[in-house]
């Protein structure tokens, strides 16, 4: 999966990611375009869950799941949000993106919102209410709680937006094998942002991230098909 790099005007700038622990040729043979784990910095900090994958349709099922980040940020109401504590035992989808993104981020959140509406036609409200869809801002300087809240409501009022200081957010993304870089303001005033496109699903049984999607390629139908199983902690 390429890393998405673009400015606010929507001009794409792509950088190909590296697949940690797997030969690129073998990964392509498996059709592992749905996965990109890019390593930067100290090799000793390579996320341990970035290897041993099984590719199944839109979803990449991880043989060694990711641990949920120990992350405390600010929600759209300006209140502290402890990710581990407040999503414990709940099916949780996490995506790193930003509100000024011209393409991938709104597409990803829209697909999740459409999928959730489809589930509402089939599943009891009590089950739907357990589902946590979270976008962690990769552009926290501009994504204030108020601004992020307005944007998230336009996607789905139940979706959770989190913001905070960039180093904390970047470290949490890195623990999940997701690369994000601090936004850069260009001379023309636009801002270039680089962020991974992964959506990671965490099991309500183990609180571990065991399913990965490419947010640019996964469709609302893919999510709608898989979520009933993910909500039970099952393999999609």
């Amino acid at each position: 999966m390429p890393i998405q790099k673009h400015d606010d005007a929507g001009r794409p700038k792509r950088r190909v990611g590296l697949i940690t622990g797997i030969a690129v040729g073998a990964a392509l043979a498996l059709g592992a375009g749905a996965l990109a784990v890019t390593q930067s910095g100290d090799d000793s900090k390579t996320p341990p869950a970035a290897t041993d994958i099984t590719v199944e349709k839109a979803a990449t099922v991880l043989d060694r799941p990711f641990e949920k980040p120990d992350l405390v940020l600010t929600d759209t109401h300006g209140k502290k949000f402890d990710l581990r504590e407040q999503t414990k035992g709940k099916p949780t989808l996490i995506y790193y993106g930003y509100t000024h993104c011209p393409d991938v981020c709104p597409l990803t959140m829209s697909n999740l919102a459409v999928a959730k509406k489809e589930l509402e036609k089939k599943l009891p409200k009590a089950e739907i209410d357990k589902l946590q869809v979270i976008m962690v801002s990769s552009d926290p300087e501009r994504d204030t709680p108020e601004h992020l809240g307005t944007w998230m409501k336009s996607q789905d009022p139940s979706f959770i937006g989190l913001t905070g200081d960039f180093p904390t957010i970047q470290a949490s993304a890195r623990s999940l094998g997701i690369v994000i870089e601090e936004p850069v303001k260009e001379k023309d005033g636009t801002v270039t942002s680089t962020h991974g496109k992964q959506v990671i699903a965490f099991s309500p049984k183990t609180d571990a991230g065991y399913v990965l999607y490419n947010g640019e390629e996964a469709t609302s139908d893919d999510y709608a098909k898989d979520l009933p199983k993910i909500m039970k902690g099952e393999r999609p």
Side-chain angles (χ1 to χ4, degrees):
M1 184 202 312
I3 301 299
Q4 186 68 17
K5 185 174 186 177
H6 50 211
D7 59 28
D8 293 342
R11 296 186 288 267
K13 302 176 182 179
R14 294 186 178 274
R15 187 180 71 186
V16 177
L18 302 176
I19 299 178
T20 305
I22 302 177
V24 173
L28 291 176
L30 287 171
L35 172 66
V37 179
T38 302
Q39 172 64 21
S40 62
D42 185 354
D43 289 342
S44 66
K45 296 180 181 179
T46 301
T51 60
D52 302 328
I53 63 170
T54 302
V55 176
E56 294 187 349
K57 300 180 181 179
T60 299
V61 180
L62 303 175
D63 291 337
R64 291 195 293 158
F66 288 107
E67 183 178 9
K68 187 177 291 182
D70 185 7
L71 182 63
V72 179
L73 292 173
T74 302
D75 67 16
T76 55
H77 302 289
K79 297 181 179 180
K80 182 178 73 173
F81 190 96
D82 186 319
L83 181 65
R84 283 186 178 176
E85 182 64 28
Q86 293 179 242
T87 63
K88 186 176 181 179
K90 298 177 181 179
T92 303
L93 303 180
I94 294 179
Y95 175 73
Y96 287 79
Y98 68 115
T99 63
H100 290 82
C101 177
D103 41 41
V104 178
C105 302
L107 172 65
T108 300
M109 300 309 291
S110 176
N111 282 336
L112 289 169
V114 171
K116 180 172 171 285
K117 290 187 186 303
E118 287 300 310
L119 294 181
E120 289 171 351
K121 300 175 184 178
K122 306 172 184 178
L123 300 177
K125 185 177 183 300
E127 290 186 32
I128 298 295
D129 288 346
K130 294 177 183 178
L131 178 63
Q132 308 289 293
V133 178
I134 297 173
M135 187 177 88
V136 180
S137 176
S138 60
D139 183 15
E141 183 175 344
R142 293 190 292 174
D143 284 343
T144 63
E146 182 179 6
H147 177 76
L148 183 57
T150 300
W151 192 87
M152 295 298 288
K153 285 180 181 178
S154 71
Q155 303 295 329
D156 186 292
S158 72
F159 286 2
I160 299 169
L162 299 178
T163 188
D165 67 279
F166 184 82
T168 297
I169 291 171
Q170 185 181 49
S172 71
R174 186 181 294 120
S175 75
L176 298 174
I178 299 173
V179 169
I180 61 173
E181 295 180 3
E182 192 164 6
V184 177
K185 190 171 184 178
E186 308 293 351
K187 292 181 179 179
D188 62 2
T190 60
V191 176
T192 297
S193 179
T194 302
H195 63 91
K197 298 177 290 182
Q198 297 96 316
V199 175
I200 298 182
F202 291 78
S203 167
K205 292 182 178 179
T206 64
D207 285 316
Y210 72 115
V211 181
L212 182 148
Y213 295 89
N214 177 345
E216 188 175 42
E217 297 178 0
T219 67
S220 59
D221 287 341
D222 291 326
Y223 293 122
K225 175 177 63 67
D226 292 349
L227 278 173
K229 291 184 178 180
I230 288 174
M231 291 169 69
K232 297 177 180 178
E234 298 176 353
R235 188 186 185 97

